[in-house]
């Protein structure tokens, strides 16, 4: 199976870094979709199949919290894995995100190895690797 | 008011975070005067505001060479590649974002909830009033200076 992965972050630097990490993992990727805020990401989700969402929290237009809340309120996306990559350090916020159905939370700065492991875990384990 | 031991600890922790983010070797200069916030050569600024039990801003400032080096490293580009001003400022803003998120928990701990603004980039020094409590940390990143100013209102 080849996966479609969506990256949502207002920083083009972060979007490109995450894309590069995905490309050097052995995860079979069909397509990488990049969005700069939650609103754009929601629009794409309504028209394209996505296997995993990687999202930031603090973004203009629609932040990560609102985006995740919207996604998880829709029956079709209840089981969509969402990985959060953010500068968020508050334990309370992390608990809230987990309660909202987020698969994993990575704190910036992150290492490529840590992201790779989180991606594999979010997509269902090591058997996904070619 | 933070004690000197806390400030030293925060400064050292932040050095590691900057090193991990910029992929540059970061040292704390011994003779740098932290109180000298505004320097004419460091004319690129980024700011992230934080709001919560405390509020304020975190500023970072550096020169053009630093912005270029950071964007090259963060994007994993070759030196020879042309890096646009937009790429440089985006990487610089992202560095401000990471520093702010980490600095908030270093100063106030992980038990409180803070909201951060999207980072802003500008070329004029910020108006730091006498009513603001601020700390300034300087870092030597492979010969290039990065200054971090933490302001609590």
């Amino acid at each position: 199976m080849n996966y479609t992965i969506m990256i949502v972050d207002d920083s083009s630097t972060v979007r490109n870094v995450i894309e590069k990490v995905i490309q050097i993992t052995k995860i079979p990727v069909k397509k990488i979709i990049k969005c700069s805020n939650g609103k754009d990401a929601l629009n794409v989700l309504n028209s394209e199949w996505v296997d995993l969402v990687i999202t930031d929290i603090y973004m203009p237009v629609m932040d990560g919290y609102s985006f995740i809340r919207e996604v998880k309120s829709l029956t079709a996306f209840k089981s969509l894995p969402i990985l959060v990559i953010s500068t968020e350090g508050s334990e309370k916020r992390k608990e809230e995100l987990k309660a909202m159905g987020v698969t994993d939370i990575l704190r910036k700065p992150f290492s490529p190895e840590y992201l790779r492991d989180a991606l594999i875990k979010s997509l269902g384990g090591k058997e996904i690797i070619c | 008011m933070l004690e000197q031991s806390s400030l030293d600890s925060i400064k050292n922790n932040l050095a590691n975070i900057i090193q991990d983010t910029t992929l540059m070797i970061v040292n704390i200069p011994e003779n740098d005067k932290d109180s000298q916030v505004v320097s004419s050569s460091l004319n690129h600024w980024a700011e992230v505001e934080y709001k919560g039990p405390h509020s304020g801003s975190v500023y970072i400032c550096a020169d053009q060479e630093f912005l270029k080096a950071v964007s090259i490293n963060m994007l994993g580009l070759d030196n020879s590649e042309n890096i646009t001003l937009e790429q440089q400022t985006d990487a610089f803003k992202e560095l401000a974002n990471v520093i702010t998120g980490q600095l908030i928990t270093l100063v106030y701990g992980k038990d409180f909830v803070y909201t951060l603004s999207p980072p802003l980039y500008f070329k004029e020094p910020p108006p730091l009033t006498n009513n603001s409590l601020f700390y300034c940390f300087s870092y030597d990143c492979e010969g290039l200076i990065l200054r971090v100013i933490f302001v609590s209102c």
Side-chain angles (χ1 to χ4, degrees):
Chain A
M1 179 179 176
N2 291 335
Y3 297 97
T4 297
I5 299 174
M6 173 185 271
I7 304 166
V8 193
D9 198 303
D10 56 324
S11 165
S12 63
T13 305
V14 176
R15 293 196 300 269
N16 290 332
V17 167
I18 293 172
E19 183 180 24
K20 275 194 176 175
V21 173
I22 292 170
Q23 285 168 346
I24 59 173
T25 65
K26 291 180 179 175
I27 296 169
V29 174
K30 180 183 173 190
K31 189 176 178 184
I32 293 174
I33 301 165
K34 295 190 273 187
C35 300
S36 59
N37 62 66
K39 192 180 176 191
D40 289 350
L42 268 180
N43 288 336
V44 173
L45 278 176
N46 284 322
S47 60
E48 288 204 50
W49 178 267
V50 171
D51 297 293
L52 170 69
V53 173
I54 302 168
T55 184
D56 188 15
I57 291 297
Y58 300 111
M59 295 179 285
V61 186
M62 180 187 271
D63 66 23
Y65 290 107
S66 305
F67 169 60
I68 295 165
R69 201 173 290 117
E70 288 272 344
V71 170
K72 290 295 179 183
S73 71
L74 301 168
T75 312
F77 300 127
K78 277 260 190 283
S79 59
L80 174 65
I82 299 179
L83 174 61
V84 169
I85 300 182
S86 170
T87 56
E88 185 61 68
S90 160
E91 291 299 333
K92 190 180 173 189
R93 276 269 167 85
K94 285 182 184 175
E95 285 167 20
E96 284 171 2
L97 287 166
K98 288 275 185 185
M100 287 164 73
V102 163
T103 315
D104 210 346
I105 304 161
L106 296 193
R107 194 169 188 203
K108 295 175 185 175
F110 58 86
S111 71
E113 295 82 7
Y114 201 38
L115 175 56
R116 179 200 58 203
D117 292 348
L119 287 168
I120 292 168
K121 184 181 150 196
S122 298
L123 286 168
K126 286 185 178 173
E127 56 270 26
I128 65 158
I129 296 177
C130 296
Chain B
M1 212 51 186
L2 291 165
E3 291 180 3
Q4 190 57 47
S5 58
S6 299
L7 282 174
D8 290 343
S9 170
I10 289 167
K11 192 170 186 176
N12 288 324
N13 276 307
L14 209 50
N16 292 330
I17 289 157
I18 294 166
Q19 191 160 282
D20 289 347
T21 309
T22 63
L23 307 176
M24 298 168 93
I25 295 166
V26 177
N27 290 303
I28 299 171
E30 285 178 16
N31 297 321
D32 194 85
K33 294 289 181 195
D34 284 350
S35 57
Q36 192 187 336
V37 174
V38 178
S39 165
S40 59
S41 62
L42 307 179
N43 54 359
H44 295 268
W45 292 78
E47 177 193 13
V48 177
E49 282 185 76
Y50 63 91
K51 284 180 182 165
H54 306 83
S55 62
S57 289
V58 173
Y59 299 91
I60 65 171
C61 64
D63 65 12
Q64 185 75 54
E65 284 305 305
F66 180 87
L67 266 68
K68 197 173 177 183
V70 164
S71 53
I72 287 170
N73 283 7
M74 287 174 76
L75 290 165
L77 305 174
D78 292 332
N79 279 312
S80 57
E81 290 183 63
N82 288 328
I83 300 150
T84 65
L85 192 60
E86 194 181 347
Q87 284 175 311
Q88 292 178 41
T89 54
D90 189 86
F92 191 58
K93 286 195 298 182
E94 179 56 23
L95 176 61
N97 185 38
V98 172
I99 286 173
T100 304
Q102 294 281 350
L103 199 44
I104 294 299
T105 49
L106 287 171
V107 174
Y108 299 125
K110 292 183 174 180
D111 295 335
F112 302 105
V113 175
Y114 287 90
T115 302
L116 308 186
S117 71
L120 291 175
Y121 165 80
F122 48 97
K123 292 196 78 171
E124 290 292 324
L128 295 170
T129 67
N130 291 333
N131 296 330
S132 305
L133 175 65
F134 67 85
Y135 302 97
C136 181
F137 307 110
S138 290
Y139 297 96
D140 179 334
C141 307
E142 298 180 3
L144 302 168
I145 295 295
L146 171 69
R147 210 156 270 165
V148 178
I149 300 134
F150 178 83
V151 181
S152 179
C153 297

